[in-house]
Amino acid sequence: MRKNPISASIDFEQDGIQHGFLKLPYSRNDSAWGAIMIPIVQFKRGNGPTALITGANHGDEYEGPVALYNFALRQDIEQFNGRVIVIPAMNYPAFLSATRVSPIDNLNMNRIFPGRADGSVTQQIADYFSNTLLPIADYVLDIHSGGKTLDFLPFAAYHSLPDREQEARCAAAARAFSAPYFIKLVEDTGGMYDHQVESMGKVFVSTELGGSGTTSPNSIAIAKRGVDNFLIHAGILNGESIESPDGSIELDMNAGESYLLAQHNGLVDPFVNLGDHVKKGDLLARVHSTERTGEKPFEYFAPRDGVILTRHVPSLIKMGDCVFVIAEVVTEPVTRTVAEVAGFLNKYAKNNRH
Ligand code: ZN
């Protein structure tokens, strides 16, 4: 078996703050002896656990990279007890080209785990995670959002796992992230990073924090706060966790009828917004023919009661595109007074200087 060609310019056993690269040799037309230099930062102090935090597993999702390039500016190593390894853009070639999958081998990072040491660029990065980074991690956070084609209500998620004790630890960490929404997922897609991490017994949290190929101050604040909360929960970072000012609403999207797929090509005419509560049978969208005027539009109705969790972003849709996802509301948020919300925001502002 060929050895993975990636080498780290930082020493994972060394205390302190180290900025560096994962260097992956990649010979190509514009750089004969070149390498892909994937940025990495490590904070290490004391004997606490290790957290591995990533963004841009998909290259067009930005809350993770923005929050993590911010996190990398921290200088307060005295606040750490343990090790935090941060890779703001996991699929770095995809991130640089602002595409979901890698422009080099056309591979989706989150469908090819555990990866291959002797494979293509994306497979080699995945293999390095599987065999070098994950074995030294205890807590793993992978920050996703909807990318250019989807937009999500901001949520933290954990998976239904055969090991109930591990599932409970993942659920507690996802709850601690304190996104405005919180979901348990049943996932059977092959090759996901998520399953690789979970199969190794780690505590794993994933997120979807917005999308549309951009960010907002609100979605960035959720990501930054969530990273800190996750590390405080893990006992690695000192400080007081900051809850979502609106509380956290628990959703469920495991029923098959949660996903509404397009059965026509055309132009979307939406009738609902993200976060709207809908009843089964409500009109969600009309899809107009783009080929001629005067055609009766196709109508899409809610297959179930729930809240609009996800919407398709480009207004032109194609057969098989995911138009909406409707999630079931499990618990409503706690009601807070104006003073309580102001208190949370104040606390957040104070803790958000880095
Ligand atoms: Zn993603």
Side-chain angles (χ1 to χ4, degrees), residues 57-58 61 100 110 144-145 208:
N57 178 327
H58 294 123
E61 304 174 359
R100 179 172 176 83
N110 219 25
H144 287 253
S145 52
E208 298 289 356

Side-chain angles (χ1 to χ4, degrees), residues 20-235:
F21 303 95
L22 300 177
K23 189 180 80 177
L24 168 54
Y26 174 50
S27 177
R28 55 201 192 268
N29 283 336
D30 67 347
S31 189
W33 286 11
I36 296 166
M37 306 288 276
I38 304 169
I40 183 171
V41 57
Q42 175 177 279
F43 297 80
K44 186 172 183 298
R45 177 180 167 273
N47 300 315
T50 294
L52 173 62
I53 308 185
T54 47
N57 178 327
H58 294 123
D60 60 350
E61 304 174 359
Y62 297 102
E63 278 76 9
V66 175
L68 297 178
Y69 277 107
N70 264 290
F71 188 89
L73 297 172
R74 290 187 84 120
Q75 306 279 343
D76 53 349
I77 188 68
E78 70 283 357
Q79 296 302 322
F80 290 73
N81 176 32
R83 177 167 54 178
V84 182
I85 301 167
V86 173
I87 299 168
M90 189 177 179
N91 194 343
Y92 194 58
F95 173 67
L96 291 183
S97 74
T99 52
R100 179 172 176 83
V101 308
S102 175
I104 295 171
D105 51 22
N106 237 355
L107 288 178
N108 180 340
M109 174 71 83
N110 219 25
R111 299 291 183 273
I112 50 128
F113 269 86
R116 294 177 60 128
D118 62 352
S120 64
V121 162
T122 311
Q123 290 171 319
Q124 288 173 328
I125 297 171
D127 178 81
Y128 188 81
F129 272 82
S130 298
N131 290 304
T132 302
L133 295 175
L134 288 177
I136 59 174
D138 305 295
Y139 290 83
V140 180
L141 171 63
D142 190 29
I143 304 172
H144 287 253
S145 52
K148 287 177 176 170
T149 65
L150 293 175
D151 197 10
F152 281 92
L153 287 182
F155 68 79
Y158 68 102
H159 290 108
S160 172
L161 297 174
D163 178 344
R164 294 293 169 194
E165 193 269 326
Q166 185 190 6
E167 179 184 310
R169 287 187 291 133
C170 295
R175 210 178 262 286
F177 186 95
S178 278
Y181 296 85
F182 167 75
I183 296 184
K184 174 179 174 173
L185 299 172
V186 178
E187 196 81 70
D188 55 5
T189 308
M192 290 179 73
Y193 178 55
D194 311 46
H195 299 317
Q196 180 63 31
V197 180
E198 289 157 353
S199 73
M200 295 170 77
K202 316 295 181 183
V203 174
F204 179 71
V205 173
S206 179
T207 72
E208 298 289 356
L209 300 180
S212 309
T214 186
T215 63
S216 68
N218 188 40
S219 68
I220 296 298
I222 293 165
K224 287 179 178 173
R225 186 179 71 210
V227 169
D228 287 3
N229 285 344
F230 179 81
L231 292 173
I232 291 166
H233 172 80

